[in-house]
Amino acid sequence: MGELLLITDDLRRAQRLTRDLGTATGGTIHDLYGDTLPVSRPKLIVSDVEALTSDAIVRLRRVLEQVRDEGVPYLFLVHGNVARAEAHAQVLGANGTLSANASVQQLRTTLGHIQVQMRPIPAAVRERAVKARQFLRQVLLSGRPITPAGAEIGTDLVVRAVSESGIYDWIRAVQQFDDATHQHCLLVASLAAAFSAALGLREADRHRLTKAALLHDVGKIHVPTEILNKPGKLTEAETAVMRTHPARGHAMLVGQGFEDTMLAAVRSHHELLDGTGYPDRLKGREIPDLVRLVTVCDIYGALVERRPYRPPIAGQQAYAILKGMEGHLDVDLVHAFHPVAVAFDASVPNMA
């Protein structure tokens, strides 16, 4: 980790924190109420100020103006009133916030993600992400039939980007798009491309899985945006509408030349092995292998992405949730997905 500056109003608490982070030799603690300003230029800044008085805010702003260079990540630790602290963090230009009561591992993960997010996205990755999104916008908004040939173009963009640049920069590029459905489809497709590589699938099967993941949620075009982007829990009626999207997506692709395995992935990616899924309550062997693969990618993708009603879940925690779904998901496939989850987290700098 680069040089860390920890700004605090409690030196003992700061010393414990830097010791737990393992940065006692590479980090600097600054007493917010000290007489001098830090001399060194940090690579990473964390403020841990419990008493957010007007004087504290003025002092914090002065320190940040003095030592924070452009592009230096800044994490604001939140004590007490979350809404008030979040407002202060935004005014001070923080790149993220985290509860001061969070575990050391959560802090390390958050710092790592912030550092990665501040890193420029390679131009080639950004260009392919934009082109892939243009493909999705065309197939989802034009009203024209979706063809296998058109889907192959979008699939090739994803596979090439993930193969050449890795998954994390692609995900960062995708997360900059304002449409949640586009983000999710492109994220799940990139996970599928990485998963198929981890499984050692031949090129044709790799494209088949990635294409299925790219198109798995096309039926959401028929779900009202106020339901798709609702910040709170869906009502029973809204849930019923949301759950129509697999069948609606399947209907959009039938008769357009797609093979049956593709159609099954679009219709059945919410089916679970114990029969509690939808829309057809399939069980066990009734769920094809390709569908099971897409489902694993879909669930993991939904967990690690930001949703209107919750922040993203860390990669390791998301994988732990997958492992906890024994009986719902194929245990062997969840185990095989582990290298993808490791690769996702490995893209985040080591905070030890």
Side-chain angles (χ1 to χ4, degrees):
M1 178 171 66
E3 179 93 11
L4 167 70
L5 174 64
L6 177 59
I7 306 170
T8 184
D9 60 351
D10 186 325
L11 290 176
R12 288 188 177 181
R13 190 175 66 236
Q15 288 167 355
R16 289 195 302 271
L17 184 57
T18 54
R19 183 177 63 248
D20 291 342
L21 282 173
T23 59
T25 58
T28 301
I29 297 174
H30 173 69
D31 181 358
L32 185 64
Y33 295 97
D35 295 329
T36 60
L37 290 172
V39 177
S40 61
R41 313 297 288 185
K43 302 295 185 183
L44 182 63
I45 300 173
V46 176
S47 64
D48 182 28
V49 180
E50 184 172 6
L52 283 174
T53 63
S54 297
D55 182 40
I57 296 300
V58 170
R59 288 172 176 269
L60 256 178
R61 181 181 287 111
R62 185 179 66 174
V63 174
L64 291 168
E65 289 174 350
Q66 177 75 20
V67 304
R68 187 184 184 193
D69 293 329
E70 184 177 356
V72 172
Y74 166 37
L75 177 66
F76 186 106
L77 297 185
V78 175
H79 295 263
N81 188 313
V82 175
R84 182 168 174 266
E86 291 276 359
H88 285 311
Q90 185 172 3
V91 169
L92 291 168
N95 300 108
T97 60
L98 183 70
S99 169
N101 296 321
S103 69
V104 173
Q105 183 57 50
Q106 286 177 297
L107 177 56
R108 287 176 175 172
T109 299
T110 302
L111 289 172
H113 278 290
I114 288 176
Q115 286 184 299
V116 171
Q117 288 164 4
M118 298 293 287
R119 189 178 70 202
I121 299 172
V125 175
R126 190 188 303 275
E127 181 181 355
R128 285 183 181 139
V130 169
K131 288 182 178 179
R133 188 200 187 192
Q134 289 172 344
F135 159 75
L136 280 177
R137 295 183 75 167
Q138 289 169 359
V139 302
L140 293 177
L141 300 178
S142 68
R144 292 178 295 184
I146 304 172
T147 66
E152 189 64 31
I153 295 173
T155 300
D156 189 58
L157 289 167
V158 177
V159 171
R160 288 173 59 194
V162 173
S163 298
E164 296 172 11
S165 305
I167 193 170
Y168 204 82
D169 282 332
W170 171 266
I171 291 173
R172 290 172 57 224
V174 166
Q175 287 176 334
Q176 295 184 355
F177 299 143
D178 55 1
D179 186 280
T181 301
H182 294 161
Q183 283 188 22
H184 181 66
C185 289
L186 292 169
L187 169 59
V188 176
S190 65
L191 291 169
F195 194 12
S196 60
L199 291 169
L201 299 183
R202 59 191 181 93
E203 186 175 355
D205 290 331
R206 186 178 189 187
H207 274 70
R208 185 175 293 109
L209 175 60
T210 306
K211 189 190 305 180
L214 186 63
L215 296 180
H216 78 286
D217 267 350
V218 293
K220 284 186 176 177
I221 188 175
H222 298 291
V223 178
T225 55
E226 58 268 25
I227 294 179
L228 285 174
N229 300 326
K230 184 177 179 179
K233 184 179 180 180
L234 298 182
T235 66
E236 188 174 331
E238 290 169 337
T239 298
V241 173
M242 177 67 85
R243 290 190 169 193
T244 64
H245 79 268
R248 299 294 292 270
H250 178 263
M252 290 171 63
L253 300 184
V254 167
Q256 303 304 322
F258 288 98
E259 55 193 278
D260 290 343
T261 53
M262 273 287 304
L263 297 175
V266 173
R267 183 177 181 91
S268 304
H269 62 275
H270 283 290
E271 301 286 359
L272 300 172
L273 295 180
D274 62 355
T276 59
Y278 63 92
D280 302 309
R281 300 184 70 85
L282 301 181
K283 295 181 66 174
R285 294 182 180 179
E286 295 174 329
I287 305 175
D289 289 342
L290 183 70
V291 175
R292 299 183 188 202
L293 290 163
V294 172
T295 299
V296 169
C297 296
D298 184 34
I299 294 174
Y300 186 84
L303 292 170
V304 298
E305 68 188 0
R306 183 176 300 278
R307 288 295 173 97
Y309 49 86
R310 62 152 175 81
I313 295 174
Q316 291 180 346
Q317 183 183 354
Y319 183 71
I321 292 173
L322 281 186
K323 289 183 65 177
M325 294 182 68
E326 184 174 350
H328 296 293
L329 302 178
D330 188 312
V331 175
D332 291 336
L333 291 183
V334 171
H335 179 75
F337 188 79
H338 186 249
V340 180
V342 170
F344 181 90
D345 276 343
S347 302
V348 180
N350 184 1
M351 303 306 297

